[in-house]
Amino acid sequence: MIDITERAQAHFLRLIAQQDIEGLGIRLRVVDAGTPSATCDLEFCEPSELTGDEWTVECEGFHLYVEGASAPWLDPANIDFETHATGGQLNIRAPRIKGEMPGEGAGLVERVQYVVATEINPMVASHGGRISLKEVTAEGVVVLQFGGGCHGCGMVDVTLKQGVEKTLRARVPEVTEVRDATDHATGENPYYAGSDKGTSAAV
């Protein structure tokens, strides 16, 4: 059901050791399961705080407790701790927590919004960015607003064409074009402040 890499287990064990509480474990649950805003929540858990409905995953030196109601949404799931030059990042990949993509019978706006929430925003979140849907025209033109690290970013053209547009057109065939309605000249904290800051990207 849940695969926890050795790196992730070592990371959790370090955190638990710092708390110096006997029998301390980690509890995992899904918040807003089955919706585009679903996320995974991790917290320390003492034995006295267990409710009895948890699934117990035995790890190296500690236990991971999965909330009973969350367990079906986490099958499968992968937890890893990825290291890089400035430290590390814990990543939880649980493809089922946001539910299934709306079918063809759902409206175009609903399907585009689902892809933006479940695939595109997690993609740009690593750069501190976020994207919101402003409009979907009758011709299938998707108009987006970039925020956070994407607002004013000099690489927004690449993000729009190679990431956002490609993903949306692959997942929602009715999408004909993707446009950026953001005034990038007002961006205060762009992820990449390139020389083309201030230009607006449109496909």
Side-chain angles (χ1 to χ4, degrees):
M1 178 177 72
I2 299 179
D3 176 49
I4 309 175
T5 67
E6 292 183 0
R7 293 182 301 189
Q9 293 187 45
H11 172 68
F12 285 137
L13 197 56
R14 285 193 298 269
L15 296 178
I16 290 172
Q18 293 170 4
Q19 305 306 309
D20 195 25
I21 299 175
E22 185 176 354
L24 189 67
I26 301 288
R27 179 157 49 199
L28 170 64
R29 67 189 182 103
V30 179
V31 180
D32 295 329
T35 71
S37 60
T39 59
C40 289
D41 182 60
L42 287 165
E43 61 185 0
F44 291 119
C45 179
E46 296 186 47
S48 60
E49 297 173 326
L50 296 174
T51 62
D53 71 337
E54 295 89 356
W55 291 67
T56 301
V57 181
E58 294 188 4
C59 300
E60 189 64 38
F62 70 98
H63 286 156
L64 175 78
Y65 302 104
V66 182
E67 181 188 62
S70 299
W73 301 98
L74 295 166
D75 186 12
N78 173 268
I79 304 176
D80 190 20
F81 185 74
E82 299 176 359
T83 57
H84 47 72
T86 58
Q89 179 176 332
L90 187 70
N91 289 314
I92 302 177
R93 295 178 177 85
R96 298 192 61 224
I97 67 170
K98 297 180 185 293
E100 300 296 328
M101 180 174 175
E104 293 183 4
L108 180 57
V109 172
E110 183 182 355
R111 285 180 286 144
V112 169
Q113 182 62 63
Y114 181 89
V115 176
V116 169
T118 61
E119 297 187 41
I120 292 173
N121 269 325
M123 177 177 65
V124 300
S126 61
H127 296 169
R130 63 182 181 277
I131 296 174
S132 57
L133 177 63
K134 288 184 65 70
E135 180 185 4
V136 180
T137 71
E139 294 76 28
V141 177
V142 175
V143 182
L144 301 173
Q145 181 85 28
F146 285 73
C150 291
H151 188 186
C153 179
M155 295 295 289
V156 73
D157 279 351
V158 176
T159 300
L160 186 72
K161 286 187 171 185
Q162 301 302 319
V164 177
E165 183 190 35
K166 180 181 289 187
T167 300
L168 275 172
R169 296 188 72 171
R171 301 285 277 137
V172 187
E174 295 94 326
V175 171
T176 59
E177 187 178 348
V178 180
R179 295 177 183 169
D180 177 10
T182 313
D183 178 7
H184 286 283
T186 62
E188 297 182 355
N189 189 30
Y191 179 74
Y192 177 76
S195 59
D196 58 344
K197 179 182 175 184
T199 61
S200 180
V203 179

